[in-house]
Amino acid sequence: MKKSPHVSATPATDWLKAHGIAFTEHPYDYVEHGGTAESSKQLGVDEHAVVKTLVMQDDKAEPLVVLMHGDRTVSLKELARQIPCKKVEPCKPEVAQRHSGYLVGGTSPFGLRKAMPIYVQQSILVLPRICINGGRRGFLVGLDPQVLTQALGARPVDCASPQ
């Protein structure tokens, strides 16, 4: 990973600092609909280690967050079975923004506006290091994936599907 210039604070970086969590900053040029493929290419990291933060909702329209490998998709049926509920679906962008406090494309699981259950694809936890959104479009933070369960309280699930 390249060493990058300092980026101004976000609710996510404020949360990480407040919890004493070490992280590295990785700004890149945001490309609309570029997703993790674009950020991993620009930063020179494996897309599998770039974690996307997805705001979803259950059958009662209650929001939840799913953390998934950049090169995988969420099996909604499998996620619903594991958490358990009848069904899970992605939130509309404006609803996701209202729940998280972040613009879509800049959603971080840290410093969310509203407390929501967070689920993490369990295979993310065995990676040596991950990059995840730092609370702004075009900005990832690098950290130990154990932070997701130990500090954030994310619950491991196995709901990955190939892209």
Side-chain angles (χ1 to χ4, degrees):
M1 288 187 230
K2 295 180 208 165
K3 180 71 179 143
S4 304
H6 176 74
V7 175
S8 62
T10 66
T13 59
D14 290 346
W15 188 94
L16 290 166
K17 287 174 187 164
H19 287 81
I21 296 165
F23 63 94
T24 53
E25 298 180 343
H26 304 278
Y28 65 95
D29 295 324
Y30 179 76
V31 174
E32 194 75 36
H33 306 296
T36 56
E38 185 62 35
S39 60
S40 65
K41 183 176 84 177
Q42 285 189 39
L43 296 172
V45 298
D46 181 356
E47 189 179 6
H48 196 66
V50 177
V51 176
K52 47 191 175 184
T53 305
L54 306 164
V55 182
M56 309 238 173
Q57 62 186 20
D58 65 15
D59 50 325
K60 296 176 185 79
E62 291 295 325
L64 58 109
V65 172
V66 181
L67 305 176
M68 182 55 67
H69 294 285
D71 61 353
R72 300 285 187 272
T73 59
V74 175
S75 165
L76 298 175
K77 192 179 222 174
E78 187 56 31
L79 178 62
R81 192 182 72 67
Q82 288 185 37
I83 64 176
C85 68
K86 289 186 180 128
K87 88 176 194 190
V88 176
E89 62 187 8
C91 286
K92 289 183 167 63
E94 62 277 6
V95 174
Q97 187 173 326
R98 194 169 60 244
H99 290 314
S100 70
Y102 293 110
L103 279 175
V104 172
T107 306
S108 177
F110 310 110
L112 293 166
R113 173 180 289 161
K114 170 181 193 173
M116 297 180 259
I118 300 174
Y119 300 93
V120 58
Q121 170 59 34
Q122 64 188 18
S123 50
I124 289 169
L125 301 172
V126 301
L127 296 171
R129 193 156 178 83
I130 59 168
C131 283
I132 192 163
N133 200 288
R136 176 179 297 123
R137 290 175 171 180
F139 177 52
L140 300 182
V141 291
L143 43 75
D144 181 330
Q146 296 308 310
V147 165
L148 302 175
T149 53
Q150 293 169 2
L152 198 56
R155 191 174 127 201
V157 291
D158 188 12
C159 60
S161 291
Q163 195 74 303

